[in-house]
Amino acid sequence: MERRYLDDFAVGQTFASGRLKVEAAAIKAFAAEFDPQPFHLDEEAARGSFFGSLAASGWHTAALTMRLLVEGDLKPAGGVIGASLELSWKQPVRPGDELRIESEILEVRASQSRPRQGTIKVRTTTFNQKGETVQILTSNVIVPRRGG
Amino acid sequence: MERRYLDDFAVGQTFASGRLKVEAAAIKAFAAEFDPQPFHLDEEAARGSFFGSLAASGWHTAALTMRLLVEGDLKPAGGVIGASLELSWKQPVRPGDELRIESEILEVRASQSRPRQGTIKVRTTTFNQKGETVQILTSNVIVPRRGG
């Protein structure tokens, strides 16, 4: 599939992705390296916590969302290169959950100072296998212009 | 060191962290799992890209920042549990960089609906070993009240 330049994006376009399953071992491995808190590391410790049972680090959910974005249908020319973003976690990701994303183009802006590129604002919603929203990410992605 | 409840936080307080060094192998391993784009995976491919040389995924920088937060001096009672955030990447993290953070409390709010908890808004700046800002994260963290 061809990659998309700034000129190919328009407000309202939507893009889908494949799916990624999250197992308990991966949740614990990510947490051990980046978010070593009891409720991400150990089922027993999670029981008495805010989360009630083992939950993925929100940053793990975000990283998996990035993988879905990179391999999904958005395909900006030059790659998925974010500059800034807003993110909120709506509910925890649990062992066995299967994630997918839907992205919608909110804005398309040519750069005033750099005529060869621009920015798209993309809202990416991450869903679990029950169709529940687990994360909403709104990011500004740098995209080259066609022939730029 | 004791953990802090909502009542222990005040606007303007600052908190530091230790340091984490980022090696090329870790940059590539993170990218292979979560952000498989050429400029995060391979020195040669990175040379012709937006980044000019191998650069860590921004999500890797964010995940390392989380580790520094969890192990740093902020120490909210109940753990570092984010609900929503804004994040911007100011410059790439490169192989050999050593990261540290500084966090500042921007707001302290008791919850209207949940008397046993509240939220602190924290701005966390991630610096490299040259003192350059690589990331700014502003996050809303859920914190229990003392005796809550």
Side-chain angles (χ1 to χ4, degrees):
Chain A
M1 190 201 243
E2 215 162 319
R3 301 219 148 242
R4 291 183 182 84
Y5 291 86
L6 188 73
D7 319 78
D8 301 320
F9 286 107
V11 171
Q13 288 171 339
T14 60
F15 301 95
S17 76
R19 290 164 179 267
L20 272 177
K21 193 163 183 183
V22 193
E23 302 292 0
I27 289 175
K28 295 176 189 178
F30 186 97
E33 190 168 359
F34 299 115
D35 192 349
Q37 304 194 84
F39 36 76
H40 299 319
L41 288 166
D42 181 79
E43 282 86 351
E44 189 55 47
R47 226 153 290 171
S49 79
F50 180 85
F51 292 103
S53 68
L54 191 71
S57 168
W59 297 103
H60 192 186
T61 304
L64 291 165
T65 296
M66 185 61 184
R67 172 133 199 170
L68 290 167
L69 264 174
V70 167
E71 297 182 339
D73 299 339
L74 187 70
K75 296 200 183 306
V80 182
I81 298 178
S84 62
L85 59 89
E86 295 175 29
L87 190 158
S88 60
W89 292 299
K90 299 305 181 185
Q91 59 178 310
V93 169
R94 305 294 189 176
D97 277 2
E98 202 171 61
L99 304 182
R100 67 179 179 87
I101 61 171
E102 287 178 12
S103 296
E104 180 176 350
I105 306 301
L106 302 183
E107 287 179 32
V108 179
R109 282 167 290 166
S111 169
Q112 298 302 313
S113 57
R114 298 183 183 187
R116 293 163 72 176
Q117 69 181 51
T119 305
I120 55 174
K121 180 180 277 195
V122 187
R123 183 178 54 227
T124 298
T125 306
T126 308
F127 298 95
N128 64 20
Q129 71 285 358
K130 293 180 250 175
E132 298 163 336
T133 298
V134 297
Q135 179 186 282
I136 298 176
L137 165 69
T138 306
S139 47
N140 295 295
V141 176
I142 298 165
V143 188
R145 304 206 65 162
R146 190 173 290 281
Chain B
M1 189 200 242
E2 215 163 320
R3 302 219 147 241
R4 293 181 181 85
Y5 291 86
L6 188 74
D7 319 78
D8 301 320
F9 286 107
V11 172
Q13 288 172 339
T14 59
F15 301 94
S17 76
R19 289 164 181 268
L20 273 177
K21 192 163 182 181
V22 192
E23 301 292 1
I27 288 175
K28 295 174 189 179
F30 185 97
E33 191 168 358
F34 299 115
D35 191 350
Q37 303 194 86
F39 36 76
H40 300 319
L41 288 166
D42 180 79
E43 282 86 352
E44 190 54 47
R47 225 155 290 173
S49 79
F50 179 84
F51 292 103
S53 69
L54 191 71
S57 168
W59 298 102
H60 193 186
T61 303
L64 291 165
T65 296
M66 184 62 184
R67 172 133 199 171
L68 290 167
L69 264 173
V70 167
E71 296 182 341
D73 299 339
L74 187 71
K75 297 202 183 303
V80 182
I81 298 179
S84 61
L85 59 90
E86 294 176 30
L87 189 158
S88 60
W89 292 299
K90 298 306 182 184
Q91 58 178 308
V93 169
R94 304 293 190 176
D97 277 3
E98 203 173 60
L99 304 181
R100 67 178 180 86
I101 61 171
E102 288 178 12
S103 295
E104 179 177 351
I105 306 300
L106 302 184
E107 289 180 31
V108 179
R109 281 167 290 165
S111 169
Q112 299 302 313
S113 56
R114 298 183 184 187
R116 293 162 71 174
Q117 69 181 50
T119 305
I120 55 174
K121 180 180 278 198
V122 188
R123 183 178 55 227
T124 298
T125 307
T126 309
F127 298 95
N128 65 20
Q129 70 285 358
K130 293 180 251 176
E132 298 163 335
T133 298
V134 296
Q135 180 187 280
I136 299 176
L137 165 69
T138 305
S139 47
N140 295 294
V141 176
I142 299 165
V143 187
R145 305 206 64 160
R146 190 172 290 280

